[in-house]
Amino acid sequence: MEAKDVQSIADARELIEARGLNHVKVGMFDIDGVMRGKYMSKEKFLSSLENDFGFCDVVLGWDVRDQLYDNTQYTGWHTGYPDAAARIIPESCRELPLEHNNVLFLAEFVGEAEAICPRGVLRKVLQQAKSLGMQIETGFEYEFFVFNETPESIREKHYQGLRSLGPAEFGYSVIRNSAESQTYQNLLKLCSQMDIPIEGLHEETGPGVLEAAIAHDDALPSADKAALFKTFTKVAMQKEGKMATFMAKWSPEYPGQSGHIHLSVRDLSGASMFYDESKPDNISDTMRHFYAGQQKLMPELLAMIAPTINAYRRLIPGFWAPTEASAGIDNRTCAIRIIPGSEQAQRIEYRIGAADANPYIIQAAVIASGLWGVENRVEPEPLVKGSAYETRFPPHLQLPHTLWDAAQRLKTSQVARHYFGDAFVDHFSATREWEEREFRKHISDWELDRYFEII
């Protein structure tokens, strides 16, 4: 039996026994989309398949540097950081080609912790979509920079003077992807073996920046694949003595790194709900209300879409990133790109997301805002023609300029509380406030250079 054939607890048990595995890798994704996990003994794993297992809830209570949040209610010193119940997802089983004879299973929190578990929040939104007769399909596109560096060397250099995979801009370069074919082929092979099918992989504009388009799937497995792609791209690069970063913007000299989401909606029989050949650009009423909801709620939900301090460095004019809640027909200067096509191809590209967003959380925001638009029959703003950067937008389409402001908008959003629940909104907005407060403790090189001698 292959890992991709596992669909049930019985299948998982059969695979483990047949391969004679003594330990199995189990992982889940935290609030920031970072994979946390461990090796479990065969006995513990098989028991956990049937009865769930306990996983320290600190993974929902710390940041990317393992610093403990001091402002969240669900978990903290006041709770003693107990174990929370988690379940193993049998159908998530994947080969681990970079390890000898092992497989990976994803897990997710259940019980009380499910309300703030990123995967659980996305499932909650998808259940609401299903109650409206909708099936959501998505596909993620990621840009990421690759460097001929190691975790040690980047620190020794203080992140300056890094050696990128390529020396300069050369978008869609066949020369580059041929000269570096081993790296490209290794990543493509790994993704194929791990059931993360890649539709396209190419050189983007910037020294050493690549873009990968992951094949579309139902929304929940699509988010799994996106989160796994980011994790194991980093693993694959480090195995080669290289490093990949999915920071939203690592250098002021180059465009930021996007994490675009392509989205379509079908009814429960599989027919497109976005396509209506009798309407201009084949845009059905459902599609119109859906993207209108996304547009109207983008400023309100931006903390889920741009969840880091660094994400706001990317949202500036002229660098291929949107700066307002704009929408247009096949317009890449807009936050929402409406892509007309056949019944199979009609879709939305949600372009404001950066590569640093948690795939589960951003997708929950993208889908919920569309559902709100459909449920309330929201009408869109006028579509942008030409450059969105040169268009004046009304105040309600302006985006928050900082993570702190975005967190305040999310915290007071009744729509967010309706779709995601109070527990998630309170917890996530608090974690973003923490991130901003941690940033404010930092003294930048810019400040030292500007003030140290002169002021």
Side-chain angles (χ1 to χ4, degrees), residues 70-82:
D70 63 7
N71 59 340
T72 56
Q73 293 302 308
Y74 169 74
T75 189
W77 291 122
H78 62 287
T79 69
Y81 294 106

Side-chain angles (χ1 to χ4, degrees), residues 12 30 41 51 54 77 112 245 256 270 283 308 331 390 395 399 440:
D30 69 10
S41 69
N51 304 308
W77 291 122
E112 184 182 358
T245 181
I283 298 172
T308 68
N331 189 332
E390 298 176 2
L399 300 175
R440 290 186 182 277

